[in-house]
Amino acid sequence: MTSLSEEVLLVVKKVRQRKQDGTLYLMAERIAWGPEGKDRFTVSHMYADIRCQKISPDGKAKIQLQLVLHTGESTTFHFANDSCALKDRDAAKELLQQLLPKFKKKTNKELEEKNRMLQEDPVLFQLYKDLVVSQVISAEEFWANRLGINNTDHALCNNKQEVGISGAFLADIRPQTDGCNGLRYNLTADIIESIFRTYPAVKQKYSENVPHNLTEKEFWTRFFQSHYFHRDRINTGTQDIFSECAKQDEKGLKSMVVQGVKNPLVDLLSLEDKTLDEGYGICTTPSTSNSNKTVKESSNSAIIKRFNHHSAMVLAAGSRKGDTPNDQASETSSTDGNSRDSDFFQPPVKKVKLQEATEFEDLQKEPRPKTVALNLKKSDRYAHGPVPLQSQQYTTSQDIINSVSYIRHEMVNYVPNLTQVLSSTTATSAIAALSPGGVLMQSGAQQAIHQMVPSEVQGELKHLYAAAGELLRHFWSCFPVNTPFLEEKVIKMKSNLERFQMTKLRPFQEKIQRQYLSKNLTGHLEEMLQAAFNKFHAWQTRRMMRKT
C-alpha cells in the first residue's frame, strides 16, 4: 500500500470513511485511508493540498476529523474505537498541526510574474507554446535572462511589506457556548500571531511554558481566564502566570507618559474636558461620597489606561522590525503617541515641521533652469545663421555663345550607327532583366507572391521566425565559449536547433509544397540555421585540435 521510501508516522485503526471501516495512515508527506481487507488506499491527500483541519465539538456523539482541501472539497473521518476514540483523534490532530505548516503552500512570486508576462504579451505566449510546450527547449532555458525575473523576485523578497494589525483583533475573537456552561474560543494562526506581535510578554510566556509545562490548549485557556485578558477585574489570582505581564505593561505605560509627546504640532492637553471655563465657573462643594467616587474613577481610569496601552502596543507592533528584546521599556520607547519619529523632533526641527504643515509643494513655483546670457558682437549673424561662401568665377556671355555654336555644328555632322550601339549579349541581358521575374522586376513579383501566400501561412511563418530568433539568441550568446557551463549550453542549443529544424521547419516546408507555392519562403531561415551550424562545427573542430 505504501512505497518503500515512505515513512509511516502514525497508524490509527477503526476509522470510518463513508460508513466503511478502515485504517488511517499519517505518513511523511501525505495522509491516506484504506478499507479493511484491501491492500490499497481509497483516500490519499498530500499535506500540501490540505488547507485546514476541523474537529467535531466536544460532547458530540461522533468523534470526527475533517480535512478541507484548497480546492474546496473536504474529507471526513469518523473515529469509531469506543475505548480510545477521542485519544486517537487528538493524536492525529496534533500530528497534523505539526505537519501542515511545513507543507503550507506559499505564493510563488516568480510563477505569478511569468503568468503575468504571458497574459500581457501574446507573442511571448505563442513563443512559449512553440518552444516549451512542444518540448523544443526546457522552461528554464526559455525564462533564462528574460527581463530579470530573478532580480525582481529577489527585490520583492527584500522589500516585503509587513501586514498591519487591526486594533480590534481581540474584539473579533467571539466566544461560542459549548452547551455545558462553558465558552469556546476559535483561534487561528493569524490571531495568535497578532497577539504575539502586540504583546511580546505573552509570547515570552508561551515560549517558557509550552510545551514544557502546559499544552497549547491549556495555555490559551489560562490566557482567556487570566486577569491580563480581563483587566477590568479588581483581584488578581496568585496562580496567574500573566501577572508579571501586567506589571511590565504598567511600567511601559509610565515610561511613555514620562517621555511625553515631543511633536510641537501635537498638544494632548488641549483635549482635556473642561466643564466650566476659567473665570465663569463657581467652586463646587466636595462630595460626601468620596469612597464611591474613588472606586468609580479608578475603574474608569483602568479602562482608559487599558485602551491607551492597547493602542500604543498596536502601533508599536506595526513599527517593530523582527523580534525585539524582552525589555518592555525598549519595546515601548518608540510608542509615545508620535510613532517612530518622535525621537527626532528636536527644537531646531520645529521650523521645518511648521513649514511642512503650512507650505504645499503643488502651490510652489516651478524652479526654472539657470541660463547663461549670450554676449553677441554681431547679432545679425546669430539671427540668420552661417552663409555659404559664393564662387567668384562667372561665365561670360561670349562663352555661352561659343558653346551653343559648337553643339549646333556637332548635330549637323552627326551620322547614326545603330548596329554598334549595344552588343547582342548586353541587349539580351537587358531584356531578361526587364522581363517578369527578372532582376529589375522584383518589386512586382514580391507583391504577387504576397497575394499568393494565405494569411494563415504568413502568421505561421512569423511564429517560426520568432521561435528561431529565440533559439539563435541563446546559441550566439554562448560565444566566446570560455567556461564549462557555456560549452554544455552551446552543445545543448545546437541539439535544440536541430530539433526545431526537424519538428517545426520541415513540416512547414512540406505544407507549403503541398499548397504548390513555388516560392521558397523558408530560405532565409535555412541560411540562419546553417550559419549557426557552421559556427558550431568550426568551434568543435578547434576544440578537438586543442585537445590533440
Side-chain angles (χ1 to χ4, degrees), residues 77 112 125 176 220 273 304 386 474 518:
F77 300 105
E112 288 183 354
F125 181 62
Q176 300 175 356
W220 291 115
D273 294 334
I304 295 174
H474 283 280
S518 59

Side-chain angles (χ1 to χ4, degrees), residues 30-43:
R30 62 171 176 158
I31 181 172
W33 178 88
E36 291 183 356
K38 296 183 179 180
D39 58 349
R40 60 183 180 85
F41 292 136
T42 58
V43 177

